[in-house]
């Protein structure tokens, strides 16, 4: 099908059928299911259709077949649901790191050489302390540009030469990681890597971005559940139930937000399928 699609940024690009099939396959749909959904979408397409509209339709069609596939497909939007302030995104990133064997602390204020800094997440592993600075965007097309690593590098430089009481010992911070739920510009990555900063975004580093880590460690945010309303997801976040694993470990959260018995069964079924 030869057609132009309008991206989130407003840019017109050629429609790529294979890209759509791949994203559906990644969510867990088999080849036949993916092709059926693509055929259905293509029959409704028109010149200049927005990629957002295609995505929404694919999500609806997936949801009709499988909540779990739809939840996985919805991951990027689910990360936006951890906003608008980004505080829940910081907690979520701490959980992703914990799955990889790090000890974590969230929202710590430390006095640097010149000024005090609030650090989003601190990590400890193999006696190395790293600081994470999160850059949360509530729009899907916003990118973190070169000013972000420049600014964070100066903060890291103000902190790294001092020793602090961290994780029950005197330690210095020797590594800095910048994390965004969206993407970095090429300049941002180039400057960050050249300056010795680690960068983590939706799709960077290749095969090791947030989307890959979430799938690998099955550490999905509660915001990707298709069996809950937005208001219910927000209530869970406020209760500090950030990931689906948190929910499975503490199913009483669903009682706290006054979910009916039947809906509780459905939500926990979807949660367990996602983590298995």
């Amino acid at each position: 099908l030869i057609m132009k699609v309008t991206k989130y940024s407003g840019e017109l690009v050629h429609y790529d059928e294979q890209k759509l099939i791949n994203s559906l396959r990644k969510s867990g749909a088999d080849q036949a299911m993916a092709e059926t959904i693509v055929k259905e979408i293509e029959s409704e397409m028109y010149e200049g259709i927005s990629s957002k509209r295609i995505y929404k339709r694919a999500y609806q069609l997936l949801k009709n077949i499988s909540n779990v596939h739809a939840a996985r497909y919805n991951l990027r939007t689910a990360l936006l649901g951890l906003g608008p302030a980004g505080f829940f995104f910081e907690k979520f990133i701490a959980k992703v790191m914990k799955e990889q064997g790090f000890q974590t602390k969230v929202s710590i204020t430390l006095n640097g050489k010149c000024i005090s800094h609030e650090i989003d997440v601190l990590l400890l592993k193999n006696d190395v302390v790293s600081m994470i600075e999160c850059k949360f965007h509530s729009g899907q097309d916003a990118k973190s540009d070169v000013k972000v690593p420049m600014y964070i590098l100066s903060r890291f430089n103000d902190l790294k030469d001092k020793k602090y009481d961290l994780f029950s010992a005197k330690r210095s911070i020797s590594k800095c990681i910048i994390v965004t739920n969206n993407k970095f510009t090429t300049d941002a990555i180039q400057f960050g890597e050249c300056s010795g900063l680690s960068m983590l975004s939706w799709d960077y580093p290749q095969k090791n971005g947030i989307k890959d880590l979430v799938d690998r460690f099955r550490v999905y945010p509660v915001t990707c559940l298709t069996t809950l309303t937005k208001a219910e997801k927000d209530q869970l976040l406020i209760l500090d139930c950030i990931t689906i694993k948190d929910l499975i470990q503490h199913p009483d959260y669903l009682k706290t937000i006054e979910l009916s018995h039947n809906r509780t069964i459905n939500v926990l079924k979807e949660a367990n399928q996602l983590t298995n």
Side-chain angles (χ1 to χ4, degrees):
L1 185 70
I2 298 168
M3 198 169 278
K4 288 273 176 69
V5 172
T6 310
K7 286 172 72 173
Y8 281 90
S9 59
E11 185 192 352
L12 275 177
V13 293
H14 287 289
Y15 164 65
D16 185 346
E17 182 186 87
Q18 197 51 50
K19 202 173 165 186
L20 182 54
I21 287 176
N22 292 347
S23 66
L24 290 163
R25 288 298 309 272
K26 254 205 147 112
S27 74
D30 62 30
Q31 187 68 25
M33 196 189 291
E35 285 174 5
T36 305
I37 289 171
V38 167
K39 266 204 183 74
E40 175 75 28
I41 290 169
E42 287 180 349
S43 71
E44 301 166 8
M45 276 170 67
Y46 50 86
E47 190 65 32
I49 187 172
S50 70
S51 56
K52 187 178 181 178
R53 189 157 187 160
I54 293 171
Y55 169 83
K56 262 187 147 162
R57 189 68 183 116
Y59 174 69
Q60 284 169 343
L61 293 167
L62 258 182
K63 200 176 162 185
N64 293 343
I65 302 164
S66 157
N67 282 344
V68 175
H69 296 344
R72 279 204 198 101
Y73 187 72
N74 195 36
L75 179 60
R76 193 155 178 206
T77 307
L79 292 182
L80 296 177
L82 295 168
F87 178 57
F88 297 124
F89 178 65
E90 292 160 21
K91 288 187 165 188
F92 173 69
I93 290 300
K95 302 262 183 190
V96 173
M97 294 301 172
K98 213 170 190 165
E99 291 286 331
Q100 297 173 73
F102 288 94
Q103 285 184 58
T104 65
K105 286 183 185 295
V106 182
S107 297
I108 302 289
T109 302
L110 295 175
N111 289 317
K113 203 164 61 182
C114 305
I115 60 167
S116 76
H117 303 267
E118 190 176 320
I119 297 162
D120 296 336
V121 187
L122 277 174
L123 307 175
L124 175 68
K125 191 178 184 178
N126 304 332
D127 223 30
V128 174
V129 177
S130 311
M131 61 181 266
I132 290 184
E133 285 297 297
C134 294
K135 188 70 185 148
F136 183 81
H137 296 283
S138 44
Q140 201 144 354
D141 56 340
K143 284 187 176 185
S144 293
D145 64 20
V146 73
K147 290 194 289 292
V148 174
M150 282 178 167
Y151 165 63
I152 290 167
L153 178 64
S154 62
R155 295 185 61 184
F156 174 52
N157 285 337
D158 192 39
L159 288 156
K160 72 176 189 329
D161 296 327
K162 287 183 73 174
K163 275 196 165 19
Y164 304 94
D165 288 312
L166 299 173
F167 303 99
S168 61
K170 280 273 186 204
R171 306 173 190 274
S172 55
I173 299 166
S174 52
K175 205 173 166 217
C176 180
I177 306 164
I178 306 174
V179 182
T180 179
N181 60 312
N182 276 2
K183 296 182 179 186
F184 292 112
T185 62
T186 316
D187 278 357
I189 290 171
Q190 200 176 337
F191 180 85
E193 296 291 356
C194 175
S195 308
L197 301 170
S198 294
M199 318 278 281
L200 176 64
S201 74
W202 169 249
D203 58 357
Y204 185 88
Q206 213 178 350
K207 296 205 163 73
N208 233 6
I210 293 173
K211 61 177 177 184
D212 307 293
L213 296 174
V214 169
D215 278 333
R216 194 175 307 142
F217 295 99
R218 298 265 185 266
V219 55
Y220 295 97
V222 287
T223 45
C224 71
L225 287 167
T226 64
T227 42
L228 289 169
T229 66
K230 186 186 180 312
E232 287 160 352
K233 292 171 192 177
D234 289 345
Q235 282 177 287
L236 286 174
L237 291 174
I238 290 162
L239 291 169
D240 216 26
C241 177
I242 309 292
T243 69
I244 284 167
K245 288 183 180 183
D246 294 337
L247 187 60
I248 292 167
Q249 282 163 4
H250 306 282
D252 287 359
Y253 282 134
L254 298 174
K255 208 176 272 176
T256 311
I257 68 166
E258 298 176 351
L259 230 58
S260 70
H261 177 65
N262 279 354
R263 287 200 55 216
T264 297
I265 289 170
N266 285 336
V267 172
L268 290 174
K269 183 184 168 191
E270 183 184 7
N272 280 299
Q273 284 176 331
L274 262 170
T275 53
N276 288 337

